[in-house]
Amino acid sequence: MPRILPTELFALLSKHVGQDSAGMELRWLRAAARDPHHLQSLVSRRTSGEPLQYILGTQPFGPLELLTRRPVLIPRPETEHWTLRLAELIHPSSQDPISLLDLCTGSGCIPLLLCHLWPPGSVQAVGADISSDAIQLAVENAHRCGIHVSTFHSLLRATDSNGNTFTPLLADIRSLDFAQSSALRSPFHLITSNPPYITHEDYAKLSPSVKAYEDPRALLGDPQPTPYGKGLTFYHDIAKLAAREGFLARNGVVAVEVGIGQAEDVQRIFQEEGRLRETEIWRDPWEVQRVVIGRR
């Protein structure tokens, strides 16, 4: 393969991402490349539409550097923003620890960041996802971040670590028997989720770089035809879990990310179906209503 000059690589990238981003992306790709031919291959992948995070293999998330791999959803800046805010809102300790359930955990970004930020021994986190690819990546990220990966057998006994723990769970959170799984030790003090919330109509409008690489199960908010519509299926399911007797602890908190224009509907779902009377909406740095918080 003939070698392409750096100026030519820059020109190729500029056509795809614009001149402002091309220089920065080329520096990152050059740092990740083993040699000039490998750099050309990386640039080719980028100009074909592959997300930069998959090419580089990592994505910053707060102070963490998480592994990224297709088809698992890439952690987004808006998710990072509200997770950091949530970490400042709740103050667990080793003397007063909490249990955390993250639904649709993907890369594990939300529970792993919270485990990293909160004091050792203050939280036992469970991350549930229907995708085996996601669960495998979440486990790898936990190891990478120095967070103990527990098993449900060890959770049934006294914790086998003095630090915070992350327990992966391959499961369909929408199944009727999910809440009754012996793998879950409810009540949970905190339930978090960045669930799928994109409507079928909006999914059709997404860029090819998203649709061709990221798992549609992590994006589509209405997996099957449903009377709910509007990408809100998972919020109804999360609300029903929160309303189950003994599933959410007294004074427990539910925090979920939502799509543009969905916050007020999700707030109403939480109040009416989740029996979460105290609710609020958080905005992201771009002033979009991005998170709904519900308290028991």
Side-chain angles (χ1 to χ4, degrees):
M1 180 172 64
R3 182 178 174 184
I4 302 177
L5 296 174
T7 53
E8 295 175 291
L9 293 176
F10 176 78
L12 287 171
L13 270 178
S14 296
K15 290 180 182 179
H16 182 73
V17 302
Q19 285 193 359
D20 291 342
S21 298
M24 183 169 52
E25 290 199 8
L26 187 57
R27 286 195 298 272
W28 289 335
L29 292 171
R30 184 180 285 116
R34 297 186 298 270
D35 54 52
H37 290 300
H38 187 217
L39 175 60
Q40 287 179 217
S41 174
L42 298 182
V43 171
S44 177
R45 289 169 60 185
R46 184 69 180 118
T47 56
S48 69
E50 185 172 353
L52 181 66
Q53 294 90 338
Y54 288 148
I55 299 172
L56 297 176
T58 60
Q59 168 68 15
F61 197 76
L64 303 178
E65 189 80 14
L66 298 177
L67 298 172
T68 51
R69 186 167 61 239
R70 62 183 298 190
V72 183
L73 190 73
I74 298 166
R76 268 48 172 193
E78 53 268 32
T79 310
E80 174 190 71
H81 178 264
W82 71 259
T83 305
L84 290 169
R85 182 174 175 182
L86 186 66
E88 296 177 351
L89 176 71
I90 300 173
H91 305 282
S93 66
S94 57
Q95 293 76 35
D96 189 20
I98 67 170
S99 56
L100 159 65
L101 174 62
D102 185 54
L103 302 170
C104 309
T105 199
S107 64
C109 58
I110 295 171
L112 296 181
L113 181 54
L114 293 174
C115 283
H116 176 82
L117 295 173
W118 284 334
S122 66
V123 56
Q124 287 187 345
V126 175
D129 204 289
I130 196 173
S131 165
S132 58
D133 291 314
I135 289 298
Q136 177 60 38
L137 186 61
V139 169
E140 291 177 32
N141 274 322
H143 288 306
R144 178 182 177 89
C145 298
I147 296 166
H148 178 73
V149 177
S150 187
T151 66
F152 292 110
H153 295 296
S154 65
L155 282 176
L156 293 174
R157 306 188 302 271
T159 180
D160 52 5
S161 171
N162 291 325
N164 294 329
T165 63
F166 174 76
T167 304
L169 174 60
L170 180 63
D172 181 357
I173 71 164
R174 301 197 61 231
S175 67
L176 295 176
D177 59 352
F178 174 76
Q180 299 170 325
S181 170
S182 59
L184 295 177
R185 295 184 67 203
S186 56
F188 290 97
H189 302 91
L190 174 62
I191 297 174
T192 58
S193 186
N194 177 19
Y197 54 67
I198 297 175
T199 65
H200 282 270
E201 180 182 4
D202 288 339
Y203 183 80
K205 301 174 186 176
L206 290 177
S207 68
S209 65
V210 174
K211 290 191 289 185
Y213 291 93
E214 295 186 275
D215 192 340
R217 293 178 299 177
L219 296 166
L220 283 168
D222 299 317
Q224 293 90 29
T226 167
Y228 302 134
K230 299 195 295 184
L232 302 176
T233 294
F234 284 86
Y235 301 108
H236 291 277
D237 295 322
I238 292 170
K240 290 172 183 175
L241 285 173
R244 288 182 64 94
E245 188 69 31
F247 196 80
L248 181 65
R250 186 177 181 181
N251 300 320
V253 175
V254 181
V256 297
E257 183 170 323
V258 300
I260 295 174
Q262 294 176 329
E264 293 181 2
D265 284 334
V266 173
Q267 185 178 42
R268 184 163 51 253
I269 290 169
F270 275 14
Q271 292 171 344
E272 296 175 358
E273 298 179 32
R275 295 187 292 171
L276 301 170
R277 300 305 178 189
E278 188 179 339
T279 60
E280 61 179 302
I281 295 171
W282 289 356
R283 293 181 181 269
D284 66 20
W286 302 273
E287 289 301 312
V288 174
Q289 291 183 326
R290 183 58 68 185
V291 180
V292 176
I293 303 292
R295 296 178 179 84
R296 174 52 41 85

